[in-house]
C-alpha cells in the first residue's frame, strides 16, 4: 500500500502545462541535430545574461576555487552549517533586493528564511499560515505550478480571483469580494491572498493602486497577504516595480505580521538550478517555524559562498540589472513584433520572461475545447510548446503564455517563421481535411529546409 499523496491526482501533473513539456522532451528542437523538433516556449527561464555572470566568474576564479584571501575555505563550507544560512550571503541578498527596489525598502536579515527556491518558500508559507482545507485567494490567470506547490502536500485550497482581459486583468474590489464570497459558499476558511508581482503569466507588474487595495482588503478581513516577487528584477518598462512592502510602509503597515514576501534568484539572475529562495516576514512565529522547516530544503554552503561574493560586488550587480533589463525589453519587443506581423496581438507587458498572447481569433469556437484543439495543433504540428490559458485558470478561452528568454535569437526566429507559416496556412485555406493538412505540412517542410539552408550558409561562412 502507498500513501494517498502518491496514488491520487492532486499533484496537477495532468495539466496541459506539464503535458506540453512532456511532448517537448520527446522531440526537442536543436538548430542542427533536430531542426524539425519542438521549440520550448513554455519554460520561464532567463538565459539572456549568462555571459555577464560567466565573465564575473572568469575574473574571480578564487570563488569557484573555494578560497578567500588566498586561503582555502573548503573545510569551513564542507562541515555542518545550521539552517539559518551564512551571514555574508544573507547580507548580500538583502542588499541586492534593496537595489532592485530602488532602496525604497530595507530588509532585516533576522526576518529572512532561506529556502531551496521559491517553490519551497511558497509551500513552507502555506504550512505556516493555513491548515488543510483552508483557502488562499489568487488572482487568475495564475502560474499553473501553484496547483502543485501550494496544494499538493499542504491540503490548502486555491480560490481564483477572476480578473478579465477587458480591463487589462486589473485586480478590483469587486473581484476580491466575489472570490471571498465564493470561498465561504464552499465552506472554505480564507487565510489569505497570494499574488505574483510581476504577474506570471501576464508579464505585468501590480500597480500601486492594486497593492493598496489588496492591503486594505486583507487588513479588513484580518487575513494574510503574500507577495511572490520572484520576477521583481525583470521589470524592464514602465510602470516600475513596486513592492508590497513599499506600499505597506506608506500605509504605516510596514511591521504588519500578516504581510509576507517570497523571493528567488531563479528568474532575475537566471539561476533556477542553484535552488536559491527566501521568505521575508515580520511575524516572528512564522520566521521561527519556517526556519525549522527549511532543514528539509537547504541551500548548499558552496552556493551561498559563491553568490555572497557575486552579489556583494556592487559594480557587477548594478551593471547586471541594467543590461539584463535592456536585453529582456529588446527580446520582448522582438517577440511582439514577430507576432504582430502574423496578425497576433499581446497584452502590453512590462516585466517577466513571457507574454500573454491573444489567439482568440484562431479558435473555431469560443470554448476551452477549441482552445485545447488549437494548443494541440500548435504543439504537435507547428512544433511550439506554449501554455494554454486554461492551464493558468483563465476564464476566457484563447489566451496563451509564450516565453521568450530561454532561447537564442536564431531559435526565436525559427519560432516566428513557424507561427507565420501556420497562420498563413489557416487564413489561405478555407477548406478542411487532407488538403488543409497537406498545405501546412508542405509549408512546414519549406520552413525547415529554409532554416537548415541558413545554418549551412552560416557554418560555411565561419569556416572560411
Amino acid at each position: 500500500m502507498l500513501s494517498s499523496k502518491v496514488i491520487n491526482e492532486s499533484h496537477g501533473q495532468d495539466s496541459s502545462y506539464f503535458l506540453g513539456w512532456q511532448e517537448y522532451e520527446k522531440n526537442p528542437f536543436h538548430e542542427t541535430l533536430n531542426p524539425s523538433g519542438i521549440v520550448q516556449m513554455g519554460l520561464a527561464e532567463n538565459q539572456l545574461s549568462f555571459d555577464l555572470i560567466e565573465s564575473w566568474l572568469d575574473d574571480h576564479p578564487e570563488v569557484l576555487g573555494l578560497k578567500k584571501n588566498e586561503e582555502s575555505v573548503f573545510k569551513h563550507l564542507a562541515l555542518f552549517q545550521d539552517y539559518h544560512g551564512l551571514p555574508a550571503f544573507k547580507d548580500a541578498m538583502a542588499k541586492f533586493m534593496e537595489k532592485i527596489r530602488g532602496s525604497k525598502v530595507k530588509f532585516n536579515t533576522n526576518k529572512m528564511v532561506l529556502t531551496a527556491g521559491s517553490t519551497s518558500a511558497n509551500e513552507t508559507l502555506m504550512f505556516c499560515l493555513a491548515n488543510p482545507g483552508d483557502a488562499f485567494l489568487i488572482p487568475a490567470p495564475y502560474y499553473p505550478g501553484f496547483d502543485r506547490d501550494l496544494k499538493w502536500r499542504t491540503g490548502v485550497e486555491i480560490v481564483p480571483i477572476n480578473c478579465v482581459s477587458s480591463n487589462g486583468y486589473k485586480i478590483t474590489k469587486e473581484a476580491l469580494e466575489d472570490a471571498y464570497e465564493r470561498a465561504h459558499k464552499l465552506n472554505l476558511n480564507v487565510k489569505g491572498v497570494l499574488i505574483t508581482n510581476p504577474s506570471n503569466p501576464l508579464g505585468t507588474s501590480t500597480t500601486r493602486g492594486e497593492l493598496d487595495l489588496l492591503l486594505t482588503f486583507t487588513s479588513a478581513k484580518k487575513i494574510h497577504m503574500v507577495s511572490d516577487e520572484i520576477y521583481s528584477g525583470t521589470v524592464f518598462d514602465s510602470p516600475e516595480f513596486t513592492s508590497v512592502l513599499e506600499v505597506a510602509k506608506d500605509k504605516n503597515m510596514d511591521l504588519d505580521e500578516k504581510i509576507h514576501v517570497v523571493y528567488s534568484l531563479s528568474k532575475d539572475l537566471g539561476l533556477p538550478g542553484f535552488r536559491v529562495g527566501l521568505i521575508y516576514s515580520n511575524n516572528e512565529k512564522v520566521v521561527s517555524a519556517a526556519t525549522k522547516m527549511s532543514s528539509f530544503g537547504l541551500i548548499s554552503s558552496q552556493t551561498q559562498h559563491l553568490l555572497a561574493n557575486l552579489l556583494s560586488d556592487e559594480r557587477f550587480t548594478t551593471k547586471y540589472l541594467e543590461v539584463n533589463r535592456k536585453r529582456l525589453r529588446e527580446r520582448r519587443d522582438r517577440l511582439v513584433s514577430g507576432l504582430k506581423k502574423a496578425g497576433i496581438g499581446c497584452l502590453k507587458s512590462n516585466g517577466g520572461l513571457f507574454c500573454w498572447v491573444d489567439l482568440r481569433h484562431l479558435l473555431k469556437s469560443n470554448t476551452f475545447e477549441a482552445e485545447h484543439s488549437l494548443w494541440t495543433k500548435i504543439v504537435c504540428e507547428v512544433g511550439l510548446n506554449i501554455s494554454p490559458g486554461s492551464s493558468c485558470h483563465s476564464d476566457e478561452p484563447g489566451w496563451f503564455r509564450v516565453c521568450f528568454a530561454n532561447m537564442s535569437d536564431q531559435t526565436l526566429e525559427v519560432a516566428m517563421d513557424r507561427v507565420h507559416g501556420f497562420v498563413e496556412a489557416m487564413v489561405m485555406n478555407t477548406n478542411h481535411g487532407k488538403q488543409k493538412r497537406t498545405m501546412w505540412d508542405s509549408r512546414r517542410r519549406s520552413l525547415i529546409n529554409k532554416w537548415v539552408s541558413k545554418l549551412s550558409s552560416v557554418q560555411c561562412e565561419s569556416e572560411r
Side-chain angles (χ1 to χ4, degrees), residues 18-28 38 375 379-380:
F18 291 109
L19 294 178
W21 280 45
Q22 292 175 23
E23 289 303 309
Y24 163 77
E25 289 166 357
K26 295 175 187 175
N27 183 28
I38 297 174
W375 169 74
V379 174
C380 299

Side-chain angles (χ1 to χ4, degrees), residues 25 153 167 200 232 242 246 251 285 294 328 396 407:
E25 289 166 357
R153 299 198 298 182
N167 73 345
N200 177 6
S232 54
T242 302
E246 183 181 341
K251 292 171 69 70
K285 291 183 178 179
S294 71
L328 287 171
E396 183 178 7
M407 66 193 74

Side-chain angles (χ1 to χ4, degrees), residues 67-80:
K67 291 184 178 181
K68 184 176 182 180
N69 299 325
E70 298 186 358
E71 295 289 331
S72 174
V73 293
F74 170 77
K75 182 177 180 180
H76 171 70
L77 297 174
L79 295 177
F80 174 77

Side-chain angles (χ1 to χ4, degrees), residues 346-359:
C346 305
L347 179 72
K348 181 175 172 51
S349 63
N350 70 313
L353 311 175
F354 31 71
C355 285
W356 191 238
V357 177
D358 185 0
L359 299 183

Side-chain angles (χ1 to χ4, degrees), residues 90-143:
K90 295 178 78 171
D91 287 341
M93 281 289 284
K95 291 176 182 176
F96 185 62
M97 292 167 68
E98 289 169 7
K99 182 187 287 286
I100 289 173
R101 291 155 182 77
S103 299
K104 296 175 183 177
V105 175
K106 298 295 182 183
F107 290 91
N108 181 342
T109 57
N110 291 325
K111 300 178 180 182
M112 189 181 290
V113 181
L114 300 181
T115 63
S118 63
T119 296
S120 175
N122 278 312
E123 186 190 51
T124 298
L125 268 180
M126 292 302 104
F127 274 120
C128 290
L129 305 180
N131 292 311
D134 289 341
F136 263 76
L137 311 181
I138 302 182
Y142 64 78
Y143 166 54

Side-chain angles (χ1 to χ4, degrees), residues 253-460:
M253 297 173 63
D254 47 320
L255 297 180
D256 193 310
E257 293 187 346
K258 287 186 170 63
I259 300 175
H260 320 275
V261 168
V262 167
Y263 183 62
S264 167
L265 296 180
S266 294
K267 310 303 181 180
D268 291 350
L269 282 184
L271 301 175
F274 278 40
R275 309 310 305 149
V276 175
L278 62 82
I279 297 166
Y280 189 82
S281 175
N282 286 313
N283 193 310
E284 291 184 6
K285 291 183 178 179
V286 168
V287 171
S288 176
T291 300
K292 295 182 180 75
M293 291 182 188
S294 71
S295 63
F296 297 107
L298 297 173
I299 306 170
S300 70
S301 298
Q302 63 267 37
T303 297
Q304 293 187 53
H305 169 74
L306 188 160
L307 293 175
N309 282 273
L310 183 143
L311 295 178
S312 295
D313 188 333
E314 290 279 340
R315 185 176 178 182
F316 168 78
T317 54
T318 298
K319 176 185 176 183
Y320 179 89
L321 289 171
E322 178 183 346
V323 172
N324 185 55
R325 286 166 177 157
K326 178 175 181 290
R327 291 177 178 178
L328 287 171
R329 182 172 60 251
E330 291 173 346
R331 180 56 71 83
R332 184 277 313 265
D333 290 346
R334 286 192 62 180
L335 175 67
V336 171
S337 176
L339 292 173
K340 185 177 181 180
K341 290 177 181 177
I344 296 171
C346 305
L347 179 72
K348 181 175 172 51
S349 63
N350 70 313
L353 311 175
F354 31 71
C355 285
W356 191 238
V357 177
D358 185 0
L359 299 183
R360 288 176 292 177
H361 61 295
L362 299 181
L363 297 180
K364 291 182 177 180
S365 63
N366 187 33
T367 63
F368 284 108
E369 289 77 14
E371 178 187 275
H372 187 270
S373 177
L374 178 62
W375 169 74
T376 302
K377 186 180 292 290
I378 291 173
V379 174
C380 299
E381 295 183 25
V382 186
L384 303 176
N385 177 36
I386 61 178
S387 303
S390 55
S391 70
C392 304
H393 298 271
S394 170
D395 66 352
E396 183 178 7
W399 292 87
F400 291 76
R401 190 190 77 164
V402 178
C403 300
F404 56 71
N406 64 319
M407 66 193 74
S408 66
D409 287 338
Q410 293 78 12
T411 301
L412 181 61
E413 184 180 344
V414 171
M416 291 301 96
D417 280 345
R418 292 184 183 183
V419 169
H420 294 164
F422 176 60
V423 174
E424 180 183 310
M426 289 191 70
V427 171
M428 290 180 63
N429 198 326
T430 57
N431 296 321
H432 295 281
K434 186 176 180 180
Q435 183 183 356
K436 184 175 181 181
R437 177 63 181 267
T438 301
M439 182 176 182
W440 165 240
D441 287 344
S442 176
R443 173 63 172 159
R444 188 177 179 198
R445 284 195 299 271
S446 174
L447 290 171
I448 292 168
N449 291 336
K450 172 186 171 186
W451 178 241
V452 172
S453 176
K454 185 181 295 186
L455 276 175
S456 299
S457 175
V458 171
Q459 288 169 350
C460 290

